[in-house]
Amino acid sequence: MIHEKYYEELDKQNEYLKRKNEKAPFYNGLYDRYKYPVLTREHIPLTWRYDLDKDTNPFFMERLGVNAVMNSGAIYLNGKYYLVARIEGNDRKSFFGVAESENGIDNFRFWNHPVLLEDTCKEETNVYDMRLTQHEDGYIYGVFCSESKDTSVSDLSAAVASAGIVRTKDLKNWERLPNLVTLKSPQQRNVVLHPEFVDGRYAFYTRPMDDFIETGSGSGIGFGLCSDITQAVIDEEKMTSLRKYHTITEAKNGAGAVPIKTERGWVHIAHGVRNTAAGLRYVLYAFVTDLKDPSKVIAEPSGLLIGPRGEERVGDVSNVVFTNGAIVNESNEVFIYYASSDTRMHVATTTIDKLLDFCFETPQDPGRSVLCVKQRDEMISRNLELIRKSGGDHENK
């Protein structure tokens, strides 16, 4: 017998899921933010959390609770928007679930069942942060972090990170492939598969790591090729977007969404990390690589693209935004899906034209405060001259 409390909670959840999203008052000319998150723990189906049987769950308690929904891969198929979200249970184990929406900004609903991966990696303890690549070979690939206990030390928090790989054609049936092997990097996280062959091979953006936390000697986002994705081995990684002192990438950086192909190059939306007195601060930034050589950076505008603001700054890991998914629809509208503070998912919308303008026309970081002020002062002078010539008034006399 189904517990009567189920129907009460289901009505409340349906009202929550039907809520229309709306643009926030935030303005920078580049993208629109939205008032409400697109995915939260409240979106998780009740059947995933509660035993509905009144005999076995008389108090209608959550038996398998969910703590957070974050870091979603994203893909656009048959006119619908799909997110493959990282769902973290109350037990700290993460898993994947597919949510779909008609418009990409609200009314996301999870499918009936979470993704059950093939259990081919027996030492694996946790999986998270899947990037979805619709590859020209006809498959949709999911590349994610496969985490295992580091058995070489007694520290219970010591772990080993690898890049797991699955592929599918319908987001329902997933084939598990062997984890990516990088011969010169002991561990990998934040790995993204490029959507096209490069020199006839599969191309990956990597994040070389010396251990589970520390970035490797490559000091940035790597790029490597392999011939066979069913036994993916990269023997050489060259660097693309580099970490730099006293910038948003000083502590760490890593690939985010699958790069977006445009007429002027591949647009990348990545994450950068810096240290603060309050801990690490994660933001998103953008850069562009060459169409023929996707490892070659041709534009890297100064500063961040998206940073945590307002309520986004509060959560399990505060002061963080993180992306591993973006969608471009048939109208060249871009949907950047990002998590805030390892707790919930948001969307920001823009266009290809705006992203390209931002990437190529925003000045590069000159690297020193005095030069940054000079750069800004020159723009101010040009603006004041324009105001004077137009006969307008200046707000700060």
Side-chain angles (χ1 to χ4, degrees):
M1 179 179 178
I2 294 179
H3 201 296
E4 62 274 7
K5 185 69 174 176
Y6 164 66
Y7 297 105
E8 180 183 330
E9 292 300 308
L10 184 62
D11 286 343
K12 286 161 56 178
Q13 186 183 53
N14 283 332
E15 285 302 309
Y16 179 79
L17 296 181
K18 289 189 297 184
R19 180 179 63 187
K20 294 294 184 183
N21 217 339
E22 55 189 78
K23 292 178 181 178
F26 171 90
Y27 177 81
N28 66 357
L30 173 54
Y31 54 78
D32 291 309
R33 291 174 111 105
Y34 285 79
K35 181 176 180 179
Y36 302 117
V38 294
L39 284 179
T40 70
R41 66 176 299 277
E42 303 302 329
H43 285 74
I44 299 296
L46 300 179
T47 53
W48 295 20
R49 295 181 275 154
Y50 294 89
D51 174 0
L52 304 188
D53 194 321
K54 191 170 184 177
D55 291 335
T56 53
N57 190 13
F59 299 104
F60 202 67
M61 294 182 185
E62 271 194 338
R63 296 301 193 203
L64 296 171
V66 167
N67 178 58
V69 179
M70 54 184 154
N71 302 1
S72 299
I75 197 164
Y76 186 66
L77 297 171
N78 302 317
K80 290 187 178 181
Y81 301 77
Y82 294 91
L83 300 181
V84 176
R86 172 184 177 179
I87 301 161
E88 184 184 84
N90 285 351
D91 55 12
R92 201 186 162 195
K93 308 301 186 298
S94 292
F95 58 96
F96 302 116
V98 181
E100 71 173 77
S101 166
E102 296 285 343
N103 61 18
I105 61 170
D106 54 30
N107 200 26
F108 273 97
R109 293 175 183 262
F110 279 100
W111 289 358
N112 283 340
H113 292 274
V115 175
L116 181 61
L117 300 178
E118 293 179 79
D119 191 13
T120 58
C121 189
K122 297 302 180 182
E123 68 276 13
E124 181 179 81
T125 299
N126 202 27
V127 294
Y128 49 90
D129 298 359
M130 183 182 290
R131 277 82 169 173
L132 291 173
T133 299
Q134 193 161 21
H135 200 274
E136 67 170 311
D137 73 358
Y139 280 101
I140 298 168
Y141 289 90
V143 184
F144 57 93
C145 184
S146 167
E147 180 184 322
S148 306
K149 172 75 177 71
D150 186 350
T151 58
S152 66
V153 296
S154 59
D155 181 1
L156 281 180
S157 65
V160 175
S162 300
I165 305 173
V166 290
R167 65 183 178 183
T168 182
K169 290 193 174 180
D170 57 10
L171 302 182
K172 296 177 182 177
N173 301 291
W174 301 82
E175 177 189 3
R176 182 78 186 255
L177 303 177
N179 289 356
L180 175 69
V181 174
T182 48
L183 297 181
K184 295 186 178 180
S185 301
Q187 300 195 44
Q188 288 286 350
R189 281 164 97 175
N190 302 309
V191 174
V192 174
L193 175 65
H194 191 69
E196 295 182 0
F197 290 112
V198 176
D199 297 331
R201 291 181 286 177
Y202 292 91
F204 288 88
Y205 301 92
T206 63
R207 213 278 291 284
M209 297 174 62
D210 291 332
D211 59 32
F212 188 67
I213 299 296
E214 297 301 321
T215 54
S217 57
S219 296
I221 299 172
F223 180 85
L225 302 174
C226 76
S227 299
D228 182 4
I229 200 166
T230 65
Q231 295 289 334
V233 178
I234 294 175
D235 56 9
E236 193 71 40
E237 296 167 85
K238 56 183 177 179
M239 306 316 296
T240 58
S241 179
L242 298 174
R243 292 164 53 206
K244 296 174 185 140
Y245 165 69
H246 211 84
T247 67
I248 58 173
T249 64
E250 182 178 75
K252 288 188 277 190
N253 65 337
V258 174
I260 299 167
K261 189 175 186 179
T262 75
E263 61 184 13
R264 299 185 67 181
W266 294 97
V267 176
H268 298 250
I269 302 171
H271 67 269
V273 187
R274 67 179 175 93
N275 280 303
T276 75
L280 296 177
R281 173 175 164 85
Y282 281 67
V283 300
L284 305 185
Y285 74 103
F287 63 95
V288 183
T289 59
D290 186 77
L291 282 176
K292 294 183 179 179
D293 180 4
S295 69
K296 180 183 177 183
V297 177
I298 59 174
E300 195 163 24
S302 172
L304 60 84
L305 175 68
I306 298 176
R309 291 181 178 271
E311 294 179 352
E312 295 174 356
R313 296 186 67 254
V314 179
D316 274 7
V317 184
S318 294
N319 209 14
V320 167
V321 290
F322 188 91
T323 188
N324 46 293
I327 283 173
V328 181
N329 65 19
E330 62 275 351
S331 301
N332 281 333
E333 296 170 318
V334 182
F335 295 69
I336 303 169
Y337 293 98
Y338 66 96
S340 69
S341 298
D342 281 10
T343 301
R344 60 196 81 80
M345 286 297 305
H346 307 265
V347 67
T349 56
T350 184
T351 65
I352 294 289
D353 287 343
K354 288 181 178 180
L355 275 179
L356 288 175
D357 185 272
F358 170 74
C359 289
F360 283 96
E361 302 304 325
T362 301
Q364 288 190 340
D365 187 340
R368 297 177 59 233
S369 179
V370 65
L371 298 179
C372 291
V373 175
K374 182 179 179 182
Q375 186 183 69
R376 191 180 299 268
D377 194 56
E378 288 172 350
M379 183 179 74
I380 292 169
S381 295
R382 292 194 302 271
N383 287 338
L384 293 177
E385 181 62 15
L386 279 173
I387 292 170
R388 186 190 67 79
K389 287 183 176 179
S390 68
D393 195 12
H394 179 47
E395 72 271 19
N396 293 317
K397 297 180 180 178

